[in-house]
Amino acid sequence: MTVSTSPAVEGWFATDDAPALLGSRCSACGNLVFPPTAAQAFCRNPACSGEQHEPVPLSRTGRVWSYTDAQYQPPAPYITTTDPFEPFAIAAVELPEGIVVLGQVADGYGVADLSVGDEVELVVETLYADESGERTIWRWRPTGATTEGEQA
Ligand SMILES: [Zn+2]
């Protein structure tokens, strides 16, 4: 058995030095969606009859649109990495592309570190590890920049 590091979900994000989420763009109307669809899929824009999509890396930074604290353990297929369950923060982040993407907040950060409008950047962290290696997921890490340019 080989031990390796790989994404917990295949094809949703790139894991190189500058990790980015991968969306799908309709080749007919340019409609952008995340999570990515299959290359051959009907466009979700009801006014478009496009059926071809291409993968596009999305912006690596966005603004906090909303956030919450997961105080209770989510149901399966959620995998607990701590026993007992430790609450974690979830942020809905609006990307410049106009898409809102949910994600956990980076290790070491909680709701106390978040405000609506704050800038966050995408990082890739370990979600869990099993006998075959580490599985990674994207998370949002506050950059310290705020909307109005005020001090955080
Ligand atoms: Zn389309």
Side-chain angles (χ1 to χ4, degrees):
M1 187 179 302
T2 57
V3 174
S4 65
T5 300
S6 62
V9 277
E10 199 59 53
W12 285 28
F13 58 100
T15 55
D16 48 22
D17 289 347
L21 295 171
L22 300 173
S24 291
R25 188 191 301 279
C26 170
S27 56
C29 73
N31 189 46
L32 193 58
V33 291
F34 179 85
T37 65
Q40 303 252 347
F42 289 110
C43 180
R44 293 190 204 160
N45 172 3
C48 173
S49 58
E51 294 177 30
Q52 299 286 331
H53 288 81
E54 56 192 61
V56 238
L58 303 178
S59 296
R60 301 193 54 246
T61 58
R63 297 274 171 190
V64 175
W65 182 76
S66 185
Y67 59 92
T68 189
D69 221 354
Q71 289 289 349
Y72 300 95
Q73 183 170 329
Y78 176 79
I79 294 163
T80 323
T81 52
T82 53
D83 188 17
F85 170 75
E86 283 177 18
F88 56 88
I90 296 173
V93 173
E94 184 168 30
L95 301 179
E97 290 89 341
I99 297 178
V100 173
V101 179
L102 276 176
Q104 286 184 31
V105 174
D107 263 348
Y109 295 90
V111 285
D113 303 305
L114 299 172
S115 299
V116 168
D118 282 0
E119 186 184 76
V120 288
E121 71 174 340
L122 186 118
V123 292
V124 169
E125 295 183 339
T126 300
L127 178 63
Y128 65 94
D130 59 23
E131 64 282 356
S132 65
E134 293 187 345
R135 297 295 164 264
T136 57
I137 197 71
W138 77 88
R139 291 192 179 140
W140 298 112
R141 182 170 63 196
T143 65
T146 56
T147 11
E148 316 291 330
E150 330 146 18
Q151 293 303 328

